[in-house]
Amino acid sequence: LTDTFTRTVSNGWGTNDSGFTWGTGGGAASDYSVNGSVGAHLLATAGASRRCFLVTTIADFDVYVSLTADQLATGDFLAGGLTARYLDSDNLYSAQVRFSAANAVSVVILKRVNATETVLGTHTTGATFVAGTFYRLRFKLKGNLLRAKAWLASDVETPEWQVSVMDGDLVNPQFLGFRSIAGSSSTNVNPSIQYDDYTVRSPQLFTTERSVNDVVKAQVLGADVRLARPTIIAL
């Protein structure tokens, strides 16, 4: 699953490179746009999130995205990030990059359960934010283990996970996607969080056709499928 945002869309995010249409949640339709190079969330109201999402039945992911804010934060933080195991706006996991009013850049993993938000872990990168500078965010979930890291998108990926937490409150997936928000004390006027180069690295899904000598065999949905000649890669 990928999205390079090379289309132009108003009042939504349209259809990504993999052929799936983004849903939106929060604010007005005009708060969502794609300008040919980035997808944007306009944060017209402090403390109110903007969300884009896709339907999924998969709980464990390894996801990347590049993101930035078009303004320096004033009064409170500006944040954008990835969501997973997202049931609705009040129940989700999110990995965020936060740009503080002091121009610090932090990585945060949080959860919302029944509208109560809890920060599970945070890391301050030491970088000084410059408006429009993209950071690459990676969010990986496997069972109860949630990990995240961020680095300058122009640099190579940092090898270490900056935030690693254990949490099992949210298990059943319904959506994955993006969430942007300005802190409740933000004094920015119509800031925008911008996204680019979205990639779901894992899991990888593919279609198989079971056949021998061109005879197609029936397959029950969800049945275990294995390669007759698996690929072997040296460690």
Side-chain angles (χ1 to χ4, degrees):
L1 177 62
T2 62
D3 201 342
T4 54
F5 300 99
T6 53
R7 60 198 175 275
T8 300
V9 183
S10 299
N11 299 320
W13 270 16
T15 301
N16 61 39
D17 299 350
S18 299
F20 301 100
T21 300
W22 291 105
T24 62
S30 57
D31 294 335
Y32 303 87
S33 63
V34 182
N35 69 1
S37 59
V38 298
H41 286 170
L42 182 68
L43 303 178
T45 304
S49 68
R50 302 291 182 265
R51 303 171 303 280
C52 288
F53 49 83
L54 300 171
V55 176
T56 184
T57 59
I58 302 170
D60 294 336
F61 284 97
D62 189 2
V63 190
Y64 291 75
V65 75
S66 298
L67 64 97
T68 190
D70 69 343
Q71 301 178 18
L72 296 178
T74 58
D76 210 339
F77 67 83
L78 300 174
L82 297 161
T83 60
R85 300 184 194 167
Y86 168 13
L87 301 179
D88 54 40
S89 61
D90 292 329
N91 295 274
L92 55 83
Y93 287 122
S94 181
Q96 293 182 340
V97 177
R98 286 189 178 182
F99 308 113
S100 77
N103 301 326
V105 180
S106 299
V107 183
V108 177
I109 295 179
L110 61 86
K111 67 178 177 182
R112 287 179 61 83
V113 178
N114 297 326
T116 298
E117 188 165 306
T118 304
V119 172
L120 300 174
T122 186
H123 169 80
T124 301
T125 66
T128 299
F129 179 60
V130 176
T133 300
F134 277 87
Y135 285 81
R136 192 79 171 145
L137 173 65
R138 183 180 180 185
F139 187 24
K140 186 172 184 177
L141 299 88
K142 180 68 174 177
N144 291 346
L145 177 61
L146 291 74
R147 296 181 290 182
K149 55 180 165 177
W151 61 97
L152 274 172
S154 57
D155 290 347
V156 297
E157 179 175 346
T158 182
E160 72 280 357
W161 291 102
Q162 296 162 335
V163 182
S164 295
V165 298
M166 298 292 293
D167 191 86
D169 280 346
L170 298 170
V171 178
N172 299 317
Q174 187 167 346
F175 305 101
L176 81 161
F178 303 85
R179 181 175 184 266
S180 307
I181 193 167
S184 58
S185 298
S186 173
T187 55
N188 286 85
V189 178
N190 292 333
S192 178
I193 303 297
Q194 301 174 348
Y195 296 93
D196 197 7
D197 295 326
Y198 176 72
T199 304
V200 178
R201 295 287 182 86
S202 176
Q204 296 293 325
L205 304 181
F206 57 93
T207 300
T208 63
E209 181 178 293
R210 289 186 173 184
S211 63
V212 176
N213 297 330
D214 297 321
V215 177
V216 178
K217 299 180 179 180
Q219 177 182 323
V220 177
L221 181 66
D224 184 32
V225 176
R226 302 177 186 227
L227 296 177
R229 296 181 180 85
T231 301
I232 299 174
I233 301 175
L235 297 177

